[in-house]
Amino acid sequence: MRLLIMGPQGVGKGTQAAALSKHFGIPTISTGDIFRYNLKNKTELGLQAQSYIDKGQLVPDELTNRIVEDRLAQRDAKGGWILDGYPRNASQVEALDSMMATAGTELDYVVALQADRTVLLERMRKRAEEEGRSDDTPEAIATRLDTYERETAPLLETYGSRGKLVSVNGVGSIESISHEIIAALETA
Ligand code: AMP
């Protein structure tokens, strides 16, 4: 199973990706987690990405595409994966298409989680208190939501027109949302 999980920041992509990963026995590949790991360990990649991440902007495509390509080539990703946080713009969609064409694989579904901006802002405010991420400042949060609306939300139409989209309401209990996603994927 090869899945994308898409939706605005704060909608619960990471939590639902973990549930899907367990259910289908496939790894979750989160570009945000890869960047955070590199920031924490002050790697070359982390240093290159830091200023963009702190401002809530997208890291340049060239850098981001390269880390995804490397990660997808690893052994544990051969049988399937869930991509969380990638692709985030049209050029990343093209890059992923070409990586998959080269590998001779195809995307199965794109899970889109949805919630209102007020719900998202409240969840992110809470997360900022609990986790203290450097990019959870009010300015960076607003920039991320705006970037999502402008660059990422239109990709749902792209995948919808390819017949790959499964849309699920992201408001509710974690378990009920997971059940809904899994049921939708298994009957799609
Ligand atoms: P996330 O945890 O997915 O919200 O990602 C945290 C930050 O990492 C984002 O605000 C971006 O700065 C960067 N990032 C993560 N994924 C991508 C991507 N696909 N393209 C560009 N930047 C990304």
Side-chain angles (χ1 to χ4, degrees):
M1 181 77 99
R2 291 179 179 80
L3 298 174
L4 305 184
I5 186 150
M6 295 183 69
Q9 290 78 11
V11 80
K13 293 192 296 291
T15 307
Q16 294 304 330
L20 293 173
S21 176
K22 195 166 163 208
H23 183 83
F24 291 111
I26 48 180
T28 296
I29 299 174
S30 154
T31 43
D33 283 352
I34 296 174
F35 283 130
R36 275 185 290 281
Y37 173 85
N38 281 277
L39 283 181
K40 197 168 142 224
N41 292 288
K42 299 197 166 46
T43 65
E44 180 66 32
L45 171 67
L47 294 174
Q48 286 174 311
Q50 176 133 36
S51 65
Y52 301 98
I53 295 175
D54 284 349
K55 286 188 224 132
Q57 295 169 354
L58 294 185
V59 175
D61 292 335
E62 199 192 284
L63 207 59
T64 308
N65 293 336
R66 195 156 12 105
I67 64 165
V68 173
E69 189 163 20
D70 289 350
R71 182 64 188 84
L72 292 184
Q74 287 173 22
R75 182 191 294 262
D76 68 328
K78 292 289 174 216
W81 37 254
I82 303 166
L83 271 173
D84 167 6
Y86 181 94
R88 257 169 148 106
N89 61 26
S91 122
Q92 293 182 6
V93 170
E94 271 183 39
L96 180 62
D97 284 346
S98 109
M99 286 175 221
M100 297 193 75
T102 305
T105 53
E106 266 196 43
L107 208 52
D108 291 291
Y109 298 108
V110 176
V111 177
L113 289 174
Q114 281 148 355
D116 286 347
R117 194 173 171 112
T118 21
V119 174
L120 299 171
L121 285 170
E122 178 54 21
R123 285 189 187 170
M124 286 163 78
R125 192 189 58 73
K126 266 205 195 132
R127 189 178 74 182
E129 275 176 14
E130 287 162 12
E131 295 179 17
R133 272 171 49 164
S134 66
D135 61 345
D136 270 346
T137 61
E139 296 75 25
I141 288 172
T143 304
R144 294 215 303 277
L145 285 175
D146 291 344
T147 307
Y148 177 81
E149 287 305 328
R150 199 180 54 246
E151 302 210 36
T152 313
L155 309 182
L156 299 179
E157 274 181 42
T158 309
Y159 288 116
S161 69
R162 295 184 190 181
K164 302 279 184 194
L165 198 64
V166 171
S167 286
V168 173
N169 182 354
V171 184
S173 76
I174 293 175
E175 292 74 21
S176 67
I177 298 169
S178 308
H179 280 137
E180 198 179 326
I181 298 174
I182 290 165
L185 292 177
E186 287 178 344
T187 54

